[in-house]
Amino acid sequence: MQTDSHSTVNGTPAKADLLLDKDFVIDRVDDRLFGSFIEHLGRAVYGGIYDPGNPRSDQHGFRQDVIEMIRRLRIPIIRYPGGNFVSGFNWEDSIGPREQRPKRLDLAWSSTEMNQFGLHEFCDWSRQAGSQVMYAINLGTRGVDAARNVVEYANHPKGNYWSDLRRENGAAEPFGIKLWCLGNEMDGPWQIGQKTAYEYGRAANECAKVMKWVDPSIAVVACGSSSSDMPTFGAWELEMLEQCYENVDFVSLHRYYGNQKNDLSNFLAKSMDMDAFIKTVASLCDAAGAKKKSKKKLNLSFDEWNVWYHTLDQDKETIAQNRWGEKLHLLEDVYTFEDALLVGGMLITLIRNSDRVKIACLAQLVNVIAPIMTSERGCWAQTIYWPLMLASHFGRGTSLQPVIKSPRSSTCEYDDVPLIDAAAVLGDDESLNIFAINRSIESDVQLECDLRAFGAIKLDETISLQSDDLKLKNTEEKPDSVFPKVRKYGSRVENGNISITLPAASWNVLRFSKEIA
Ligand code: AHR
């Protein structure tokens, strides 16, 4: 790794500078930035959040230990029911008496869908979890008719066929789902009912239009490219927005990263790719709007993001051996400490882009590429649980633009990678939280913070994710191997300057508050 003059000299830690001002406002962080995702896939629903008969479940079959862990994350919104699954899903199969609901082949994951947990159950469960619902409609095998019906079923008060059916099925009050996804990854050949950009744009436009006729208070998300690696990336956004710009509110982004080459410096730089992806999609939205001479600005929904690569081969094997199985162990990536670092780095990127990214969903939430894992005996936090929890707790407020001078390096894929990356959030209570990653594997970095603009403040504590073993994992037997370390300070920031050591390969929250005279 090459570094510049800031790097370690004779064992002295490298230095970086961070300057903040209250006026360097990016935007208010939308609470929905800390959302997540549950798909009917593997053991996310069955054996994950829903496990009737398990002693840890309530009378509805909702695992209370899992709900408790989700509540601690303070997840504001959860996307459901897919994912690839949704493109073959009939929402009507998931309502009414359970014994009458059909079992179906799920072609997306070569599994069987039992439909024992559906729309009502998810809305009830989300309420328990303290989250709002972000519901995806099927634009693979279905279209405008199913789309308008499900909005009527979910959101119309009463007096019509679908809303009265909801009431007969036990929900007198509407579910009031405010955010809807118009299909999932419709550009992908793996998708049931893949579409061209034009076909998708037309379908999305008509669905958005009539869904809003049923309930004008909803917002809808159009599918962007399923990743920036897609050959049609860019062209897809422009062409589909040409068809639906005025009727949609958000464009989706999806991105997963892996460390297949076991090259940590390169892996940790991937949040820079995420940053570039966000800025490109924002520009594409603006270009589409400019072409239409529209005054409307589209924002972004990064509704699938995570590390995902550990189980790809194993999943192929599992599917080959258990075709049409139920509760298969699929996408059960066991996350390492370094995965948590990248997830933390991606959260920094999301917070710093809060002027355009208003919704983000860590994909997924339970058992499937998830921060929370379950067995019949209990549940535990994977390494990636911690950065999400810390960002969700301390990342609410106004995102400020930090000015950072950092040693830089280059990796096999990225030039000019700053060792220190950071985001800052000013809370409504005037607390200041700085999220900072040290991407260097070898050197601690001394972060010189210039906080003069904040007046009399004190450093209350630092919370760090740090481990000498980058491959450390949390397992059912050893659930706390990776756990945040809290250091209490309570020390005044003299003359607005403070120097804090960020250990090599660490992700940190530096927590300041106003000093009360
Ligand atoms: O989250 C797993 C899968 O990744 C989702 O079903 C799909 O949308 C994406 O390709």
Side-chain angles (χ1 to χ4, degrees), residues 101-253:
R101 298 187 197 170
K103 276 190 174 192
R104 301 264 189 205
L105 294 187
D106 166 17
L107 303 185
W109 301 104
S110 303
S111 308
T112 294
E113 173 52 48
M114 300 173 269
N115 282 310
Q116 293 302 292
F117 183 98
L119 180 53
H120 286 249
E121 290 80 17
F122 188 71
C123 290
D124 293 345
W125 177 87
S126 297
R127 230 171 280 126
Q128 275 199 24
S131 305
Q132 301 285 318
V133 175
M134 177 181 188
Y135 195 80
I137 62 161
N138 172 356
L139 279 187
T141 60
R142 307 292 294 276
V144 71
D145 191 39
R148 68 179 176 141
N149 293 343
V150 68
V151 179
E152 181 188 321
Y153 188 90
N155 287 4
H156 197 78
K158 60 180 178 185
N160 317 82
Y161 177 77
W162 290 107
S163 54
D164 286 345
L165 185 60
R166 181 198 70 239
R167 291 165 63 84
E168 270 170 43
N169 286 336
E173 294 304 316
F175 297 132
I177 301 174
K178 294 290 171 208
L179 191 59
W180 297 76
C181 302
L182 302 171
N184 177 70
E185 297 189 349
M186 297 310 304
D187 57 335
W190 58 87
Q191 206 64 223
I192 304 164
Q194 182 197 8
K195 290 186 166 38
T196 64
Y198 174 79
E199 289 166 346
Y200 173 71
R202 288 284 308 126
N205 190 59
E206 291 307 307
C207 287
K209 188 178 82 183
V210 300
M211 288 164 79
K212 288 179 175 180
W213 283 349
V214 178
D215 181 354
S217 74
I218 65 169
V220 298
V221 184
C223 291
S225 298
S226 39
S227 126
S228 46
D229 282 347
M230 293 299 285
T232 49
F233 173 50
W236 169 274
E237 277 75 4
L238 292 175
E239 206 177 334
M240 69 93 180
L241 285 176
E242 176 70 26
Q243 302 306 319
C244 65
Y245 192 90
E246 291 298 345
N247 280 316
V248 302
D249 305 284
F250 300 91
V251 169
S252 75
L253 297 83

Side-chain angles (χ1 to χ4, degrees), residues 37 39 41 79 82-86 108-109 184-185 190-191 226 254 256 304 308 331 363-364 368-369:
F37 174 33
E39 178 168 3
L41 194 184
R79 184 167 174 252
N84 297 338
F85 167 80
V86 82
W109 301 104
N184 177 70
E185 297 189 349
W190 58 87
Q191 206 64 223
S226 39
H254 290 181
Y256 297 97
E304 288 190 32
W308 173 16
L331 284 68
Q364 298 190 8
V368 170
I369 41 175

